[in-house]
Amino acid sequence: METNLLNYLEKIDKYLKPIGAAERADIINEIKSEMQELEAKDKLSSEQIIERLGNPKELAGAYLGQSITKNDSFNLRKLCTIIIFYSLAGLGSVFVLPFTSIVGVTFMICGVIVPICGAVKLLGAIVGIDTPYIMFQFGTYTASPVMAFLLSILFGILFILAGKFFWKLTIQYIQMISSRKKKI
C-alpha cells in the first residue's frame, strides 16, 4: 500500500482515538479493505482513492457517530466520545450537541440528587435536626418533610426521564450527522 494511503489511515486512526482499540482496528481494516478494493477492482490511483473517501476528519467523524449510537446508554467514556465527535461534526452542531448533551446529563444528575435531598430532609425531621436549605416551596406553601420526600422522589423520576429524553435526542442527532457524512 502506498505511503499517502498509509498516512490517510494514520490520520483516521488519530481521530478515532476516543473509541476502543478493537473497534478502531476494525474500522481501519474496513477502510483499508475498501481502499484495496478500489485499487484492484476500479483501478483507481491512491490520489483518486483519497479523493473518493474524502476528508479523513469527516470520515472518522462519521465512524465516531456510528460508534456512539450503537446503544443509547450513558457512561463517561461515551460522553467523552461525544465531545470529540462534536469537535469533528462542524459548525451546525455548535449549539445542538452541547445543549442536548449537557441538559441531558444535568437532568440525570438532578434526578439522583433531588431524592437524596428529600431523604436528608425527612431524616433530619425524624431526628430533630432542622435543614432549612432543603425544602419544597410553592408560593407560600412549604411542604412538610414527608411530603417533601414524596415530591423529591416524583421530581427525581421526572428529571431522570427528562435526562434520558435529551440523551436520546443527542444520540439521534449524532445518527443524523453520521448518516450524512458517511461516504463508504
Side-chain angles (χ1 to χ4, degrees):
M1 188 167 271
E2 293 187 31
T3 307
N4 54 353
L5 293 178
L6 292 174
N7 290 338
Y8 185 88
L9 289 172
E10 285 177 17
K11 287 178 186 176
I12 289 178
D13 187 53
K14 181 182 84 172
Y15 292 127
L16 294 175
K17 287 289 183 198
I19 60 177
E23 187 175 1
R24 193 170 63 240
D26 288 344
I27 292 169
I28 295 298
N29 287 334
E30 180 182 333
I31 295 170
K32 190 175 186 178
S33 125
E34 179 71 19
M35 288 175 163
Q36 290 169 341
E37 186 177 316
L38 289 171
E39 196 172 39
K41 184 179 176 186
D42 296 345
K43 306 289 189 226
L44 297 179
S45 69
S46 60
E47 291 80 22
Q48 291 171 318
I49 292 170
I50 290 172
E51 183 180 320
R52 189 169 197 176
L53 293 175
N55 183 322
K57 189 175 185 179
E58 287 182 8
L59 184 58
Y63 277 104
L64 267 176
Q66 275 186 334
S67 173
I68 292 168
T69 59
K70 280 183 182 173
N71 66 34
D72 61 1
S73 64
F74 172 78
N75 61 48
L76 289 178
R77 182 175 179 90
K78 185 175 266 192
L79 180 62
C80 292
T81 306
I82 286 175
I83 291 168
I84 299 297
F85 176 79
Y86 160 70
S87 70
L88 297 174
L91 190 58
S93 303
V94 168
F95 301 107
V96 176
L97 278 177
F99 177 78
T100 58
S101 60
I102 290 170
V103 168
V105 170
T106 302
F107 274 142
M108 284 190 269
I109 290 170
C110 289
V112 172
I113 292 174
V114 169
I116 291 171
C117 291
V120 168
K121 179 72 171 179
L122 181 61
L123 289 174
I126 290 171
V127 296
I129 299 172
D130 186 28
T131 53
Y133 297 108
I134 301 175
M135 69 178 87
F136 271 89
Q137 186 172 2
F138 304 101
T140 58
Y141 170 75
T142 302
S144 68
V146 173
M147 184 56 84
F149 177 66
L150 295 174
L151 287 172
S152 71
I153 291 173
L154 175 67
F155 277 90
I157 291 169
L158 292 174
F159 283 143
I160 291 283
L161 292 174
K164 286 186 176 191
F165 171 76
F166 278 101
W167 186 254
K168 286 184 181 188
L169 277 179
T170 301
I171 299 299
Q172 288 173 351
Y173 186 75
I174 291 170
Q175 285 174 334
M176 182 185 73
I177 290 172
S178 293
S179 66
R180 277 191 299 162
K181 289 193 173 189
K182 183 118 167 87
K183 293 185 179 189
I184 291 182

